[in-house]
Amino acid sequence: DIQMTQSPSSVSASVGDRVTITCRASQGISSWLAWYQQKPGKAPKLLIYAASSLQSGVPSRFSGSGSGTDFTLTISSLQPEDFATYYCQQANSYPFTFGGGTKVEIK
Amino acid sequence: EVHLVESGGGLVQPGGSLRLSCAASGFTFSSYEMNWVRQAPGEGLQWISYITTGGSSMYYADSVKGRFTISRDNAKNSLYLQMNSLRAEDTAVYYCARTRGSGWYDFDYWGQGTLVTVSS
C-alpha cells in the first residue's frame, strides 16, 4: 500500500498568512494526488485534483504543486473560513490512501 | 445539484451486521464509480471500498475485505454497503463518495455521512 505522510499535523496561523502543507507518498504517484478540506461535523470537500488542478468553485487562493512523491498545498492568504483540517489522498492505485491530516488553527 | 444521502447507520453489537444505503440524485448515477470512506471518531479518513459503474468490479481495503460487500442498483440510483462481523474498530462515520470521472480516483461529491457504532 502507498503511505501518505502529511506535515505538519497542525499549524497555527493568522488571517492573511500564507500557509503551506506538505504531503509525501511512500512511492511515486505521478500527479495522482488530491487535497480535501474538512470542517468539524461536515463531509470533506475536494479542493485540488491531479496535484495542481483547482476544483470548480474553489477560491484561487488555494493552489497545489508537486509530482512523484512530494506535494504541497498552499493557501496564499488565509481567510476565516479556511480554518479546517486538510487531507491529501493518493489517487494512483487502490487502496486509495489518505494522509493523516493537517489542522489549521487560529493563532 | 448533486446530492448523496446515506442512511442505515446505528448501534450494533460486535459480530452483528448492518446495511448502509446511499441515495444519489442530481446526476446520472450509472455513469459514475462510487466509494465508501469512513472516519473513526477524532481520526482521519479511510477509504474502504470502490465499485465500478456497472457493479462488475469492486475493491476493498484489507481491514474490511471478506466482511463488507459494496453493491449498487443503478435503476434505483442507490449504493449499498453490507457490513458483517462488525468489530469495535468499525465504529465510524461512513460516507459515500463519487469519483470525479471514469479513470479518476479522487472524490468530488460526498454525502453527509451516517454513524455506525459497534458496541455491546
Side-chain angles (χ1 to χ4, degrees):
Chain A
D1 297 1
I2 299 173
Q3 308 303 316
M4 305 301 293
T5 304
Q6 277 183 246
S7 61
S9 57
S10 66
V11 57
S12 294
S14 300
V15 172
D17 284 353
R18 181 182 184 89
V19 173
T20 299
I21 299 167
T22 64
C23 180
R24 175 165 289 175
S26 61
Q27 64 189 73
I29 59 170
S30 186
S31 295
W32 299 103
L33 185 99
W35 289 98
Y36 300 85
Q37 176 193 68
Q38 187 180 33
K39 296 181 179 179
K42 300 295 187 182
K45 173 187 175 183
L46 178 65
L47 299 176
I48 301 283
Y49 62 91
S52 60
S53 295
L54 197 65
Q55 174 69 353
S56 176
V58 174
S60 59
R61 63 182 179 272
F62 291 93
S63 64
S65 65
S67 67
T69 60
D70 294 313
F71 302 87
T72 61
L73 173 71
T74 299
I75 310 171
S76 60
S77 178
L78 199 65
Q79 298 302 299
E81 61 267 31
D82 301 337
F83 292 95
T85 300
Y86 295 83
Y87 295 93
C88 62
Q89 176 235 332
Q90 64 86 7
N92 181 75
S93 60
Y94 87 97
F96 306 117
T97 41
F98 291 85
T102 296
K103 187 173 184 179
V104 177
E105 299 175 298
I106 301 171
K107 193 171 187 178
Chain B
E1 187 180 357
V2 173
H3 277 295
L4 297 169
V5 180
E6 301 92 340
S7 60
L11 175 64
V12 60
Q13 292 188 338
S17 298
L18 213 54
R19 188 194 196 207
L20 306 183
S21 299
C22 171
S25 61
F27 66 102
T28 304
F29 179 70
S30 59
S31 297
Y32 287 84
E33 296 143 355
M34 297 294 295
N35 302 264
W36 288 98
V37 178
R38 70 183 181 184
Q39 186 170 36
E43 301 295 322
L45 301 167
Q46 181 191 21
W47 170 86
I48 57 171
S49 191
Y50 156 99
I51 189 167
T52 53
T53 54
S56 60
S57 293
M58 296 83 78
Y59 304 149
Y60 298 94
D62 285 347
S63 57
V64 306
K65 199 175 295 182
R67 300 188 298 123
F68 290 10
T69 302
I70 190 172
S71 63
R72 65 191 296 161
D73 185 336
N74 287 340
K76 294 183 177 180
N77 291 336
S78 293
L79 176 73
Y80 305 102
L81 186 68
Q82 177 66 44
M83 304 187 295
N84 298 330
S85 303
L86 283 160
R87 307 166 180 166
E89 55 265 35
D90 296 318
T91 294
V93 173
Y94 285 73
Y95 296 100
C96 64
R98 189 183 85 165
T99 54
R100 193 165 44 83
S102 181
W104 295 96
Y105 302 110
D106 42 55
F107 315 127
D108 61 349
Y109 285 95
W110 299 61
Q112 84 289 349
T114 188
L115 176 62
V116 172
T117 303
V118 184
S119 175
S120 54

